[in-house]
Amino acid sequence: RLSAIRQAARRGMSEALAEAEATQNALATFGGYSRNGGEGDGHRELNAQEKIALAERVLRSRKLRAIAEMSGRFKRIALSVQKSKVDYPPSQITSITIGADVAHILPGELALLADPVTEDLFYLKFAERRLLQYELIGHEPEGRGPLILAVDESGSMKDHCGPMTKEVWSKAVMLALQSIARRQKRDFAVIHFSGAGNLHVDLFPKGKSMPDEVIACAEHFYNRGTVFDEWMEKALELVDESAFEKADVICVSDGLTEIEPAMLEEWKKRRAVRGMRSYSVLVGTTQGEDLLHAISDAVFVLDDLADDLPALNTIFSV
């Protein structure tokens, strides 16, 4: 009986820990702020009751729960990639200070090495970090511009490609890109597309959003065919707006058959004029790979979403 009790207790603790982890994932992924904050931009942090309601809503949906589980990993990768980007070295002189950075030492201090009489003085000041040197500052480069994500919502995106469905993967990418946009105060747009006439745009100024807006974006799914020309036209409309100039455009799809030649030419021309970069991810197929190369700076073909790191490293470096 004691053994049975211990086993039951272990199972209960394991289930409780899994549920707690799922709740934390839900809050970290979709939690944030509520409206009517009364100050600033009108937003306030969710209270405990709102957080519980949000977590329950996410956990009731199998899709939202799966997206939340993947989103944590994707956001960690995105943060790591952004941190590893090479910063511009300090280059602007602000003042004179003291130290032992040989590359920035004043010429007068280096002249001490030219005379045996003063050479020892140089080494003494170097050891004591008292050499006169330039104080420089540098500026970390900001993102080139806003982010636009085009998400294929054809019915086949519900299919698995390795450990998860293609839709879950694309929506987890969406949440990671939004986190980059929010950190860097970049405008972010999500274009949901499917068959003819199926087009919906979610806009997140400076990457900010309410939990219900993020959930609605993640849940949205047309479940129809695949037409590329319409989302490309909408993306070009966005990049014509001043807020979306020099945008990074990312498309996630699982195959296409054609793009109108006129749209291809217009896309190429406007990419150059508007300083737009474009990346594409083709999931579970090679259908349309040549067409994607024609509209993209880089194309990634994923046969199994378990091997997604090279694609994520490029996408999240925008």
Side-chain angles (χ1 to χ4, degrees):
R1 286 198 298 271
L2 287 174
S3 177
I5 291 171
R6 283 195 294 270
Q7 290 177 7
R10 291 193 191 100
R11 284 195 300 270
M13 290 178 65
S14 177
E15 291 171 1
L17 286 172
E19 194 69 16
E21 183 178 0
T23 300
Q24 185 62 37
N25 286 338
L27 292 174
T29 302
F30 299 104
Y33 297 88
S34 178
R35 298 189 188 279
N36 304 319
E39 60 181 51
D41 57 3
H43 299 163
R44 60 174 175 79
E45 189 174 356
L46 296 178
N47 59 38
Q49 187 174 4
E50 290 169 329
K51 288 180 179 179
I52 291 171
L54 172 64
E56 288 177 345
R57 179 181 175 183
V58 173
L59 297 181
R60 282 196 301 268
S61 167
R62 180 178 297 178
K63 179 167 73 173
L64 291 179
R65 187 165 181 160
I67 292 171
E69 289 173 356
M70 292 306 305
S71 175
R73 170 181 173 256
F74 283 20
K75 287 181 179 179
R76 288 192 296 272
I77 294 172
L79 182 60
S80 175
V81 170
Q82 288 291 318
K83 280 185 175 181
S84 67
K85 290 170 73 174
V86 178
D87 297 338
Y88 291 122
S91 57
Q92 182 178 345
I93 299 173
T94 58
S95 63
I96 303 297
T97 185
I98 59 173
D101 189 342
V102 176
H104 299 146
I105 289 172
L106 269 63
E109 297 284 48
L110 291 173
L112 296 174
L113 292 171
D115 190 332
V117 176
T118 57
E119 184 178 7
D120 290 341
L121 177 59
F122 174 90
Y123 290 122
L124 175 63
K125 294 175 73 173
F126 178 80
E128 295 177 346
R129 304 184 67 82
R130 292 191 297 109
L131 290 165
L132 293 176
Q133 63 182 48
Y134 296 114
E135 184 173 20
L136 307 179
I137 62 169
H139 301 281
E140 183 177 351
E142 297 179 356
R144 294 184 66 228
L147 301 173
I148 300 174
L149 175 66
V151 182
D152 185 349
E153 292 183 350
S154 58
S156 56
M157 288 290 285
K158 283 187 174 182
D159 297 339
H160 274 74
C161 181
M164 73 202 83
T165 68
K166 294 172 260 188
E167 183 201 1
V168 165
W169 189 88
S170 66
K171 298 299 174 60
V173 166
M174 178 270 290
L175 290 166
L177 287 172
Q178 190 203 3
S179 71
I180 292 174
R182 186 168 57 248
R183 284 175 177 272
Q184 299 179 356
K185 295 180 172 56
R186 301 165 70 179
D187 292 325
F188 180 49
V190 180
I191 303 176
H192 309 259
F193 71 94
S194 187
N198 301 138
L199 200 71
H200 174 73
V201 180
D202 286 308
L203 296 175
F204 302 104
K206 308 302 181 186
K208 294 181 179 179
S209 62
M210 299 296 101
D212 56 333
E213 294 170 337
V214 182
I215 288 176
C217 184
E219 284 188 321
H220 191 282
F221 192 74
Y222 279 117
N223 195 32
R224 294 177 187 167
T226 305
V227 173
F228 259 57
D229 298 71
E230 293 180 9
W231 81 255
M232 292 171 67
E233 184 177 356
K234 174 57 68 173
L236 292 179
E237 289 178 11
L238 287 173
V239 300
D240 277 341
E241 300 175 9
S242 60
F244 281 88
E245 192 170 4
K246 293 187 177 179
D248 290 306
V249 181
I250 298 146
C251 174
V252 179
S253 177
D254 67 343
L256 67 155
T257 55
E258 63 178 357
I259 300 174
E260 291 295 326
M263 176 53 66
L264 276 175
E265 290 305 312
E266 184 66 16
W267 182 267
K268 292 175 183 178
K269 182 175 70 177
R270 302 271 278 285
R271 275 174 67 193
V273 171
R274 294 296 183 182
M276 182 177 72
R277 294 186 299 185
S278 179
Y279 306 94
S280 296
V281 181
L282 193 56
V283 186
T285 182
T286 58
Q287 182 190 48
E289 184 178 357
D290 291 340
L291 284 172
L292 287 178
H293 276 291
I295 67 169
S296 309
D297 294 289
V299 177
F300 294 89
V301 178
L302 300 181
D303 297 322
D304 187 335
L305 290 174
D307 301 322
D308 59 1
L309 195 54
L312 294 179
N313 282 334
T314 296
I315 291 172
F316 296 152
S317 69
V318 295

